[in-house]
Amino acid sequence: MSEAAARRLVALVGLPGSGKTYVGRQLAERLGRPFVDLDELVESRSGRAPASWLEAEGEPRFREVESEALAEAVATPDAVIATGGGSIIDPLNRWALAEAATVVWLDAADEMLLERLSRSSVSRPLLRTPGSGGPAAALAGLRHAREPFYRAADVHVDAGPPVDAVVAEILERLEELGATQARAAAGGAATSGPSSTRRLFDAIVPRHHPNGPAHARVVIGRDLDAATYRSVLAGASTGEPLVVADARAATALPALIAALPGARRIDVRAGEQMKRLRSVERLLESAASLGLERGDAWIAVGGGTTGDLVGTAASLYHRGAPLVHVPTTWLAQADSSIGGKAAVDLSHAKNAAGAFWPPVAVIADVASLRTLPRARLLHGMAESLKAGLIGDPWLWSLIERRGAAALDTAAPDEAARYAIVERAARLKLGIVERDPYERGERRSLNLGHTLGHALEVESGYALPHGQAVILGLRAVAAIAVARGVAVSGLADRIDALVSSLGYPMHRQFDPVAVRAALGSDKKRVAGRGRWILPVDVGEVREVDDVTEAEVEDALRTITPAGMQTPAGTRTRAAA
């Protein structure tokens, strides 16, 4: 084993019953290392067993205590750590483990896990869920929720055999991993294994489309290497794929471009102004001239506008070619690359021409965000902030606590940056899985976008999308407060956060043009606009009866004081 690998901790993860404690003790003994059981550490620190915490305080509070214990565990030199089964739900915990440890996933069939758990005296509150199905259904639910985190482990081991056989397998795999790292270091590779290249989230998700594969793979990580890209792209294309890259991303991220297939590549100039049908036609003509076949994948490299442009073209080429997103901006990683909608703009309506065309893979590397200026990061943060307001109070709280540090370009809090991106993407993945074609819950993702899109159209798409969303959020919060549906202080809390992060709070615009754009909104039904109103952090409500007077009042909220724009004028200046 390489010296670097030998110095790393070893962390065992897996579902209840996978044997993390038993295997961990024996593995630590074989390696001559200290053993730390996270559940025991929680109890020794707090005087309460994990089951007691869960039953008395609930899972969110228990996870906070567990995270504190994990921070202590990873500070133990050379330790072998048996984690709690759900400790890696928190992306900050996974980041901490990735920094310090080689992560080993102990996996076994649910039937075997249930049989082991039936003989255990340890209380398992999370397996005592109400409703039909009992422990088997509860365990299946835990597997579905947690496998994206387990699958990102460095080593995957069958935990079914006897403990000594499992330990022997782990030791062998650690030896192989160490040898691989040593060869990479000797060859002068830019990355040297788990200490730099990290998959942190690896999900297999339903694709929800009758054409193409039934499932897609979504990988999010840090400093992903060429081997990771190759493994995710394997099988995505029947022939040589076409890489369509934002020219700025291609210049700023040469290692990423080098990790992708390079025989067919087109660089494009990204931006909302280029997201038009004429640009789609140029891409389709180029693909045809290159002889692309129906099964040859289109790989979109860049931000949201690149993904939309390439996704629309892929959906049309031979009536649907495989699409892979490689998002390189915060906005694209947290939101636009997820969900399978692709569209381009018309003169008077944003995203009005497009299709539902889900990608077969999404590969997001937060390391690419290091190349972006703060303004671009800020626009992406808007979508993460929106996600927290829709349905993730933990995410909203994290942005309140560490959002400013995550936006720092000089010394960024990359752990928080990663966690914010991942939680936003996970929220959207969950909503899309439940409502793939936007017939109900998925419309909540339009929070801030109804008015935000109208502001973008009014500006001739000079207003960045993230800034438009923030203005839209402030406006709909004002409507919710005036209606009495928002909890007390919500609008002030939103304003405090967006102001602290540095978003402009106002903008001068032509209200006549904004109202005209609202009339062309693609979400209108029978002439009635659909609006998503914030009720509380983590709760929103859809309404279709917002009046002209309410819209006027909302627009005043985001217009600079003393600079009300007379109807019919067309001056713009950011406040």
Side-chain angles (χ1 to χ4, degrees):
M1 189 181 304
S2 73
E3 182 181 354
R7 288 199 302 268
R8 292 180 65 80
L9 310 183
V10 178
L12 306 180
V13 301
L15 287 167
S18 58
K20 297 183 293 294
T21 297
Y22 297 115
V23 171
R25 289 189 191 282
Q26 188 166 321
L27 179 64
E29 183 177 340
R30 292 281 300 274
L31 290 171
R33 296 186 178 197
F35 174 68
V36 178
D37 184 281
L38 199 61
D39 287 346
E40 293 179 358
L41 188 56
V42 167
E43 186 168 1
S44 67
R45 285 170 55 95
S46 65
R48 300 172 69 176
S52 174
W53 269 106
L54 283 165
E55 291 178 324
E57 306 288 344
E59 188 172 3
R61 175 58 184 140
F62 170 68
R63 295 301 175 203
E64 293 176 11
V65 174
E66 188 177 51
S67 294
E68 295 168 1
L70 183 68
E72 180 179 337
V74 298
T76 306
D78 301 324
V80 173
I81 304 169
T83 65
S87 58
I88 60 170
I89 293 172
D90 184 339
L92 295 174
N93 288 350
R94 254 177 296 125
W95 184 279
L97 287 174
E99 289 287 284
T102 299
V103 181
V104 179
W105 174 21
L106 300 182
D107 190 21
D110 285 5
E111 294 78 7
M112 176 172 285
L113 298 177
L114 289 167
E115 193 276 330
R116 289 176 177 175
L117 292 170
S118 70
R119 295 185 275 108
S120 173
S121 61
V122 177
S123 176
R124 307 281 183 176
L126 294 181
L127 296 181
R128 298 198 303 269
T129 57
S132 61
L139 185 63
L142 290 181
R143 180 179 291 278
H144 176 74
R146 295 177 184 177
E147 271 202 348
F149 318 133
Y150 297 148
R151 196 178 289 111
D154 303 302
V155 176
H156 183 189
V157 172
D158 180 4
V163 171
D164 57 347
V166 175
V167 170
E169 173 71 10
I170 293 172
L171 289 170
E172 182 178 344
R173 298 291 300 279
L174 291 176
E175 196 70 38
E176 292 172 356
L177 187 61
T180 300
Q181 291 175 248
R183 287 194 297 272
T191 60
S192 57
S195 61
S196 50
T197 294
R198 301 302 289 183
R199 282 179 304 123
L200 293 162
F201 179 86
D202 191 342
I204 306 296
V205 300
R207 221 179 129 257
H208 294 298
H209 202 284
N211 296 329
H215 292 86
R217 189 172 175 192
V218 179
V219 172
I220 311 175
R222 181 198 71 193
D223 293 307
L224 300 177
D225 59 8
T228 300
Y229 285 96
R230 285 195 299 269
S231 71
V232 178
L233 294 173
S237 185
T238 56
E240 185 70 26
L242 171 65
V243 175
V244 183
D246 172 7
R248 290 175 299 180
T251 300
L253 301 166
L256 186 157
I257 295 297
L260 298 172
R264 291 167 163 170
R265 179 177 135 204
I266 300 171
D267 286 357
V268 297
R269 188 178 67 179
E272 201 71 39
Q273 290 84 354
M274 297 298 294
K275 213 177 78 175
R276 303 300 294 271
L277 286 169
R278 57 181 175 269
S279 301
V280 173
E281 183 180 10
R282 285 196 292 268
L283 277 183
L284 293 172
E285 292 287 4
S286 296
S289 69
L290 290 170
L292 256 72
E293 298 179 354
R294 185 177 190 178
D296 298 343
W298 293 56
I299 302 177
V301 183
T305 57
T306 303
D308 263 340
L309 176 63
V310 178
T312 303
S315 74
L316 293 172
Y317 193 74
H318 290 316
R319 299 183 180 90
L323 171 65
V324 176
H325 281 302
V326 181
T328 61
T329 66
W330 191 317
L331 187 149
Q333 292 180 3
D335 182 78
S336 65
S337 68
I338 307 294
K341 290 200 298 186
V344 294
D345 303 330
L346 302 181
S347 296
H348 301 292
K350 178 168 177 171
N351 293 338
F356 285 94
W357 188 237
V360 298
V362 179
I363 315 170
D365 187 346
V366 295
S368 65
L369 305 185
R370 299 169 190 157
T371 66
L372 299 177
R374 190 179 189 279
R376 295 287 302 280
L377 299 176
L378 199 63
H379 300 324
M381 172 70 90
E383 293 290 355
S384 295
L385 191 150
K386 176 204 76 174
L389 196 54
I390 288 170
D392 191 345
W394 186 94
L395 170 57
W396 181 273
S397 175
L398 178 62
I399 296 173
E400 286 182 320
R401 291 181 286 114
R402 297 170 64 173
L407 291 167
D408 190 343
T409 55
D413 182 347
E414 286 203 307
R417 182 180 287 183
Y418 171 80
I420 293 167
V421 167
E422 187 207 277
R423 290 287 292 221
R426 280 166 54 188
L427 177 121
K428 186 168 183 179
L429 282 169
I431 290 176
V432 169
E433 183 170 347
R434 295 186 294 271
D435 180 20
Y437 292 106
E438 201 168 357
R439 295 179 176 127
E441 181 188 9
R442 184 168 178 171
R443 290 197 292 265
S444 67
L445 295 170
N446 292 315
L447 176 66
H449 284 58
T450 300
L451 185 54
H453 282 174
L455 291 168
E456 288 182 83
V457 172
E458 184 275 341
S459 75
Y461 297 108
L463 177 66
H465 178 70
Q467 185 176 330
V469 168
I470 292 298
L471 293 171
L473 278 176
R474 296 193 65 240
V476 293
I479 294 174
V481 168
R483 286 189 168 208
V485 300
V487 299
S488 176
L490 179 62
D492 291 338
R493 188 176 179 186
I494 292 172
D495 279 357
L497 179 54
V498 300
S499 176
S500 71
L501 295 176
Y503 290 100
M505 305 290 280
H506 304 90
R507 178 181 176 82
Q508 189 170 353
F509 51 85
D510 176 2
V512 174
V514 169
R515 285 194 296 271
L518 286 172
S520 301
D521 187 85
K522 64 183 181 297
K523 297 177 287 297
R524 291 174 68 86
V525 176
R528 297 170 72 91
R530 294 180 183 270
W531 294 75
I532 307 299
L533 304 183
V535 175
D536 197 357
V537 173
E539 182 183 356
V540 294
R541 180 179 303 175
E542 182 180 9
V543 299
D544 65 355
D545 60 348
V546 172
T547 67
E548 287 292 330
E550 287 178 304
V551 173
E552 291 291 336
D553 289 342
L555 292 178
R556 290 191 191 98
T557 300
I558 60 174
T559 304
M563 296 179 65
Q564 299 293 340
T565 308
T569 64
R570 196 164 181 80
T571 58
R572 300 186 196 98

